[in-house]
Structure formats: C-alpha cells, structure tokens
C-alpha cells in the first residue's frame, strides 16, 4: 500500500520540476519546445513576482508527479484557476496520484472563491479526456486557442508605419 | 477621419467595462452567462490584488472598445499574456480599433519579455479567425479547453470518503 503525500514545491525542487516538465513535453510529442531553465523557474515561481504555484506529489517519500497552476480571470464569472501542467511519472501511475493532485488544486480553487478550474488537453489524448470527464470536467468544444509568438509577436508590437 | 486613442482603464470605467462585457457575451450568444458586477470588477482589476489589466479605446473621445488581459505562464517558454476579451462596439468597427488594441497588448507583452500572447476564439467565428490569422496568429488545432465548475468543482474539492 503506497502512501501519497502532496506538498507545495520549494525552491530546491526547481531541478525536479524541470525534469517533470521535460518528461511531460516528451509525452506530448514536443520535447524540443521546452526552453525553460531552472533559474527561470526559480525567478518566476519562487521570486518576488510569482507567476505560478506548484505542488509536488510523493509516493512513499519518492517524487512521483506535480501540478503547476496560476490565477486567471473570467469576465463572466470572476476569479478562476488555470492548471498548466499535471503529470505523474509512468512508474507511479494507477495509484490515484493524478487524481489526488487535481483534487488538491480544486480545493485551492474553492478556498480562494474561484468560479472555475480549467486546463488544456490534447484532443487525441483519449485517456486524459476520459479521466477528466469522469471527474466532472467538460470540454469547450466550440473554442480554439490562438497564439502569436516569436517574430510575429514582435511585428505585431511594432508601431504601424 | 477618426482619431483613435488607447488608454489604461481607470476605476471610473467599471460601468463601461461591464457594458462591453455584456455586449461581447451577447455577440458570443451567451448573454445570461455574465454574473460579473461593477464591484467585482473594481475589486479584481483596481484593488490590492490585481487579477487583470484593461485598456479602453476611444474614437474621437467616445468609448469604442476594450481589451482585458492578464499574465499566464508556459512551462515550456515562460511568461506570457492571455487576452481574455477584445471588443469594439458595432458602430465603431472598420476603423482599425480592434487591431490597435491588439497591437497595444502585443507591445505590452514584448516590453514585459513575454514569449506568447494568446486568446480563445469561437471556431465558428470566421471573421475573427481571419482577422487574427492576418496578424500572424495561429490556431492550436490539437488542443481543447476543459473546465470544471459549480457543483462538480465543489465535489472534486471534497476530501475522498
């Protein structure tokens, strides 16, 4: 019987968090997209301005997974939370660790008076979709995410000539 | 020839912002989903803890539209901005006001060292999709937004019995 513990991440967890981020990117078939560094995680998650919060799950004292989230805002419903990453190492799956992490984030959302907890999922990831739907989540099928980045973002930011 | 000015929203703009939010919700065919109030906007946008920032566009001194955004975080790329709402009143369209608002948010993103500017769009809103694509944005076709809210969120937050 495994003992699961969920705790807030500390600065010393930055290398561990980066390992989790890279493994999740590999699972999502885009490992080269990660340009994150330990220093950046330290600055943005544990510095003066906090851009995210992170929880670490341990199974019998071993790091097994993480959840990383931050506040967002709905102009219809108000304060909400976006779950950016939820990941459990393959060897620790099927123990309820992902569910325990998600429940903890949900309880933080409720404590803080948030109207919604939301996240993004790959539409081909049927396992994830089934897992989340069984927990009461719904897919916003009409909506698509748009993004401008890199050179296109810089061009958009330039004053028009 | 109209003169367009973009300025940061002030607390006195809360009633105006709520009007814009309601009109946008009507356009998105979900007007009853808005439970936001002026007090909530004042507290969350202009109080001690800021959950969003807002820009107001004026055309010849008349309020014509708004953009509302907040910081988000990519564990692959770092600090980013989410544009929650971009709206121009019907009678002020075709003057470049939407584009000017988007460009201003993009320039704020670049100034703050953000890797990405992103937002959500209804997949049936071809006008919006074309407008954004012409400005260099791409759709993340593989991704879907998931959400847990209301009673399902409360249930998820409860300790498992």
């Amino acid at each position: 019987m495994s003992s699961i513990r969920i705790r807030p991440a500390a600065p010393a967890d930055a290398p561990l968090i980066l390992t989790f981020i890279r493994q999740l990117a590999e699972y999502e078939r885009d490992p080269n997209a990660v340009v994150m560094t330990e220093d950046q995680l330290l600055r943005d998650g544990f510095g003066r301005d906090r851009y995210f919060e992170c929880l670490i799950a341990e199974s019998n004292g071993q790091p097994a997974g993480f959840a990383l989230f931050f506040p967002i805002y709905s102009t219809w419903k108000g304060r909400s939370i976006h779950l950016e990453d939820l990941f459990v190492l393959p060897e620790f799956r099927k123990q309820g660790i992902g569910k325990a992490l998600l429940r903890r984030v949900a309880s933080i959302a409720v404590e803080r008076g948030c109207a919604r907890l939301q996240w993004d999922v790959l539409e081909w990831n049927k396992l994830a979709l089934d897992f989340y739907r069984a927990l009461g989540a719904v897919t916003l099928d009409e909506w698509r995410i748009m993004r401008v980045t890199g050179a296109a973002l810089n061009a958009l930011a330039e004053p028009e000539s």
Side-chain angles (χ1 to χ4, degrees), chain A:
Chain A
M1 181 76 192
S2 66
S3 137
I4 297 168
R5 180 185 165 225
I6 292 171
R7 59 169 178 84
D13 293 311
L16 175 68
I17 297 168
L18 190 55
T19 306
F20 285 147
I21 289 169
R22 289 196 176 127
Q23 287 185 73
L24 177 54
E26 217 158 291
Y27 177 75
E28 288 173 342
R29 306 177 188 172
D30 207 358
N32 298 319
V34 179
V35 296
M36 183 56 57
T37 65
E38 284 177 27
D39 282 349
Q40 216 175 332
L41 285 176
L42 279 171
R43 182 193 68 187
D44 293 341
F46 305 93
R48 204 188 39 157
D49 296 321
R50 306 254 166 124
Y51 289 81
F52 63 83
E53 292 175 68
C54 186
L55 299 171
I56 303 288
E58 294 174 343
S59 174
N60 295 323
Q62 297 300 306
F66 83 125
L68 189 146
F69 59 97
F70 46 79
I72 55 175
Y73 201 77
S74 160
T75 49
W76 297 2
K77 309 284 185 191
R79 298 177 188 178
S80 299
I81 283 181
H82 177 84
L83 176 64
E84 179 70 10
D85 283 347
L86 179 70
F87 180 69
V88 177
L89 290 171
E91 60 270 36
F92 290 101
R93 291 185 191 157
K94 310 275 178 199
Q95 297 178 23
I97 297 174
K99 191 173 171 185
L101 281 165
L102 188 65
R103 293 177 81 93
R104 182 64 63 88
V105 179
S107 75
I108 291 170
V110 169
E111 269 165 40
R112 297 183 188 174
C114 292
R116 297 169 173 169
L117 170 59
Q118 57 186 53
W119 58 91
D120 305 328
V121 64
L122 286 159
E123 53 94 18
W124 49 257
N125 193 346
K126 196 174 167 337
L127 270 180
L129 284 162
D130 289 347
F131 168 74
Y132 292 131
R133 283 182 180 137
L135 296 172
V138 295
T139 317
L140 308 189
D141 292 314
E142 279 193 310
W143 291 89
R144 295 293 175 275
I145 304 164
M146 290 202 93
R147 173 183 294 165
V148 59
T149 185
L153 179 59
N154 286 319
L156 190 59
E158 289 292 313
E160 266 184 295
S161 55

